[in-house]
């Protein structure tokens, strides 16, 4: 599988040059002039270097949480907010202009993710995309597998009022003894996936099977194969695996996972939120059935995302309405957002392709510098097959939250793991799944960036980290 950091990225986005010119039509203000081959050809003019503006000396090392929006993306959106604001479903000329821009953006996204334009379902971000994939495919597969009798009544849930009555405990226990529909997820999935699986368990009686990972956060393919063998596999509705882990950066062998799932007749959904815009993604070449991305991870405004679903994959909508997005995500489409999503992904892919070696080299230099100033620091995740620009550690003896606060006071903005849980400072669950002691897992540090760091920046980070560690570490060590 060619998703490692040393993969050839020269072909990323090359398919967009084959889009027909009629996809663009009369887009206003030259927004998409020269498209399709040059649809997203302008180089970004805003700050996309992972740092705050020049009037701040803070170094931003939390790109895995979110990225800045470049000026070119903002400028591309504006005409569709002010001039070409028509509803793309309208039949008049302004509506057709909006529809052509929407189609061009959809085709560009598909090209950059290795899919077909018909695969692309526009959403509000990674969380919605994950929910639609997990719940929508699993529920559609209930009927396909003849398991539709496992509804809310069968799982011990009273449909009227949507609550589980205390008196139904016996019925629930009886249901649990019956063969149940299954959903298989890795032990390190994002909460948008794991909580969607829990919802299926709670309301529809699903059995959740979690595939373990090793000390480097690699999913165990043999364990997956065993879980899909025999009668249990015939009750499995979906396999879920992330492409790259957000907490430790490990890249998963999704092509092999897809092969195993399909050998057992089960579709595969891949959460590619953390990987999009950093490494090449070839959805159809890897035989992935559904794949999610989130725009704010690669420089689009927050609230934009996409789910790519192969046409032959059964899926039920979660939102009912006018039938937009193949009937899977009703609601008036956000044309400006779709254009921003496509342009941001193209820009991010081009930056990553052009700077891959430097990005990997600066990541490895940062890892070496951290280990030099804090010999007790332990790198988490795969040391080689990991995302470029992703360095993560546990630093025993120093609680991660305290370290982040101290580093922030020194002008270094980083994190201890996922920023997707509002107001919570929990132990990163990926570290626990990897078998790391909970006491050490509380000492997590993650530094992520999408533009190579300079030697001066790396020296600054290592000096600040050394000073913070000396200030916070237990005395006598």
């Amino acid at each position: 599988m060619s998703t490692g950091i040393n993969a050839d990225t020269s072909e990323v986005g090359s398919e967009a040059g084959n889009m027909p010119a009629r996809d663009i039509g009369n887009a206003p203000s030259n927004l998409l002039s020269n498209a399709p081959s040059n649809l997203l050809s302008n180089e970004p003019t805003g700050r996309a270097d992972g740092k705050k503006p020049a009037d701040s000396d803070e170094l931003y090392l939390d790109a895995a949480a979110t990225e800045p929006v470049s000026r070119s993306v903002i400028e591309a959106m504006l005409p569709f907010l002010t001039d070409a604001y028509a509803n793309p479903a309208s039949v008049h000329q302004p509506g057709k202009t909006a529809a052509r821009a929407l189609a061009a953006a959809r085709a560009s996204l598909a090209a950059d993710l290795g899919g077909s334009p018909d695969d692309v379902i526009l959403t509000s971000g990674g969380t919605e995309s994950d929910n639609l994939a997990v719940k929508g495919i699993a529920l559609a597969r209930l009927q396909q597998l003849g398991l539709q009798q496992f509804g809310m009544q069968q799982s011990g849930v009273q449909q009227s009022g949507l609550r589980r009555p205390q008196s139904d405990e016996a019925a629930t226990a009886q249901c649990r003894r019956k063969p149940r529909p299954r959903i298989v997820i890795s032990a390190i999935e994002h909460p948008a996936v794991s909580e969607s699986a829990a919802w299926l368990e709670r309301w529809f009686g699903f059995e959740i099977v979690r595939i373990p990972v090793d000390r480097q956060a690699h999913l165990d393919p043999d364990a997956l194969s065993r879980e899909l063998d025999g009668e249990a596999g015939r009750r499995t509705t979906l396999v879920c695996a992330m492409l790259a882990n957000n907490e430790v950066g490990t890249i998963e062998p999704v092509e092999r996972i897809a092969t195993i799932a399909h050998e057992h007749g089960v579709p595969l959904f891949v959460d590619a939120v953390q990987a999009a815009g950093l490494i090449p993604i070839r959805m159809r070449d890897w035989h992935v059935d559904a794949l999610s991305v989130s725009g704010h991870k690669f420089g689009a405004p927050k609230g934009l995302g996409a789910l790519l679903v192969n046409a032959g994959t059964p899926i039920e909508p979660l939102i009912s309405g006018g039938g937009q997005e193949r009937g899977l995500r009703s609601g008036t489409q956000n044309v400006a957002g779709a254009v921003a999503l496509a342009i941001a992904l193209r820009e991010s892919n081009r930056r990553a392709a052009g700077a891959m070696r430097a990005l990997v080299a600066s990541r490895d230099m940062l890892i070496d510098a951290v280990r030099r100033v804090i010999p007790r620091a332990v790198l988490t995740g795969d040391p080689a097959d990991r995302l470029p620009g992703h360095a993560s550690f546990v630093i025993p003896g120093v609680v991660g939250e305290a370290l982040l606060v101290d580093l922030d006071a020194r002008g270094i903005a980083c994190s201890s793991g996922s920023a997707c849980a509002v107001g919570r400072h929990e132990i990163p669950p990926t570290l626990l799944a990897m078998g790391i002691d909970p006491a050490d897992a509380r000492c997590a540090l993650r530094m992520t960036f999408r533009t190579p760091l300079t030697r001066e920046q790396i020296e600054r980070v290592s000096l600040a980290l050394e000073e913070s560690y000396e200030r916070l570490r237990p005395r006598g060590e």
Side-chain angles (χ1 to χ4, degrees):
M1 173 182 171
S2 60
T3 59
I5 56 176
N6 295 319
D8 180 9
T9 59
S10 60
E11 65 176 27
V12 174
S14 61
E15 296 92 331
N18 298 320
M19 295 181 345
R22 64 178 179 275
D23 285 346
I24 305 306
N26 300 316
S29 304
N30 297 320
L31 169 66
L32 301 176
S33 60
N34 303 321
S37 61
N38 295 322
L39 169 64
L40 307 172
S41 62
N42 293 331
E43 291 298 321
T45 58
R47 291 296 296 270
D49 56 3
K51 299 196 294 285
K52 287 190 173 182
D55 60 352
S56 171
D57 62 355
E58 183 172 71
L59 180 59
Y60 183 76
L61 298 179
D62 200 15
T66 198
E67 274 281 275
V69 181
S70 72
R71 186 170 301 278
S72 57
V73 170
I74 296 171
E75 291 176 347
M77 294 179 69
L78 285 177
F80 291 100
L81 297 171
T82 57
D83 297 326
Y85 52 80
N87 190 320
S90 298
V91 298
H92 47 59
Q93 286 303 317
K96 291 179 179 178
T97 296
R100 284 192 290 268
L102 185 68
R106 196 185 305 276
S108 179
L109 286 167
D112 281 343
L113 296 170
S116 164
D118 291 338
D119 296 340
V120 179
I121 309 299
L122 297 168
T123 70
S124 65
T127 292
E128 183 188 345
S129 296
D130 289 354
N131 272 259
L132 177 56
V134 175
K135 297 174 183 177
I137 296 175
L139 291 177
R141 289 264 293 162
L142 278 181
Q143 183 173 6
Q144 186 181 64
L145 298 176
L147 298 172
Q148 61 266 35
Q149 71 271 20
F150 290 90
M152 288 186 282
Q153 292 274 16
Q154 294 294 327
S155 61
V157 178
Q158 183 178 344
Q159 293 194 48
S160 58
L162 296 180
R163 58 187 177 85
R164 187 185 302 273
Q166 297 297 321
S167 60
D168 270 2
E169 291 182 2
T172 301
Q174 182 180 5
C175 173
R176 296 303 191 196
R177 289 192 291 270
K178 297 179 181 179
R180 298 156 58 196
R182 305 164 85 237
I183 183 166
V184 176
I185 67 176
S186 80
I188 58 171
E189 291 303 306
H190 188 277
V193 171
S194 60
E195 289 298 315
S196 292
W199 182 88
L200 290 167
E201 178 186 41
R202 182 166 62 252
W203 294 107
F204 293 90
F206 273 68
E207 175 189 355
I208 304 174
V209 178
R210 292 176 173 83
I211 304 300
V213 297
D214 62 19
R215 295 283 293 189
Q216 294 183 346
H218 290 295
L219 180 145
D220 184 346
D222 293 332
L224 173 62
S225 185
R226 288 193 299 269
E227 286 291 350
L228 296 179
D229 284 340
E231 184 272 340
R234 291 189 289 275
R235 291 186 286 111
T236 302
T237 59
L238 182 65
V239 171
C240 305
M242 54 175 38
L243 175 53
N245 184 263
N246 53 313
E247 294 177 16
V248 300
T250 296
I251 298 173
E252 301 294 341
V254 298
E255 191 169 13
R256 184 179 178 190
I257 294 169
T259 298
I260 294 171
H262 292 164
E263 285 175 349
H264 294 84
V266 182
L268 171 66
F269 162 60
V270 169
D271 178 345
V273 166
Q274 203 64 65
L278 272 178
I279 60 176
I281 296 178
R282 304 262 62 89
M283 175 184 166
R284 293 213 167 188
D285 290 349
W286 300 341
H287 306 290
V288 169
D289 300 285
L291 181 142
S292 63
V293 298
S294 185
H296 77 99
K297 301 292 188 179
F298 50 77
K302 297 171 182 65
L304 301 171
L307 175 68
L308 277 66
V309 186
N310 279 339
T313 303
I315 182 169
E316 287 291 327
L318 302 184
I319 300 175
S320 301
Q324 292 89 344
E325 300 300 305
R326 286 171 40 194
L328 294 175
R329 209 275 185 174
S330 291
T332 302
Q333 290 113 325
N334 180 355
V335 178
V339 169
L341 194 68
I343 291 178
L345 181 58
R346 181 62 52 83
E347 288 183 353
S348 187
N349 278 342
R350 286 179 171 171
R351 282 197 304 271
M356 182 63 68
R357 289 186 178 180
L359 192 60
V360 172
S362 65
R363 178 204 67 193
D364 292 344
M365 287 175 60
L366 177 62
I367 291 171
D368 290 342
V370 171
R371 286 168 156 173
R372 184 178 66 252
V373 298
I374 306 178
R376 296 186 63 191
V378 178
L379 181 70
T380 55
D382 192 300
D385 197 12
R386 66 187 295 128
L387 289 173
H390 194 297
S392 56
F393 308 86
V394 291
I395 302 178
V398 177
V399 175
E401 184 179 352
L403 184 59
L404 298 183
V405 171
D406 197 83
L407 286 172
D408 188 46
R410 301 173 191 275
I412 309 296
C414 48
S415 71
S416 59
S418 175
C420 296
V422 178
R424 299 204 302 264
H425 299 284
E426 300 174 346
I427 300 175
T430 294
L431 301 185
L432 299 179
M434 292 163 59
I436 294 176
D437 184 89
D440 289 340
R442 291 183 182 277
C443 306
L445 175 67
R446 183 185 73 176
M447 294 180 282
T448 53
F449 45 94
R450 290 198 171 208
T451 295
L453 300 177
T454 65
R455 291 182 180 274
E456 292 75 17
Q457 289 172 327
I458 292 173
E459 181 65 25
R460 178 185 167 191
V461 172
S462 63
L463 177 61
L465 187 56
E466 182 179 28
E467 292 173 348
S468 292
Y469 178 74
E470 287 299 320
R471 178 176 178 271
L472 297 171
R473 70 180 177 86
R475 296 300 95 186
E477 291 193 1

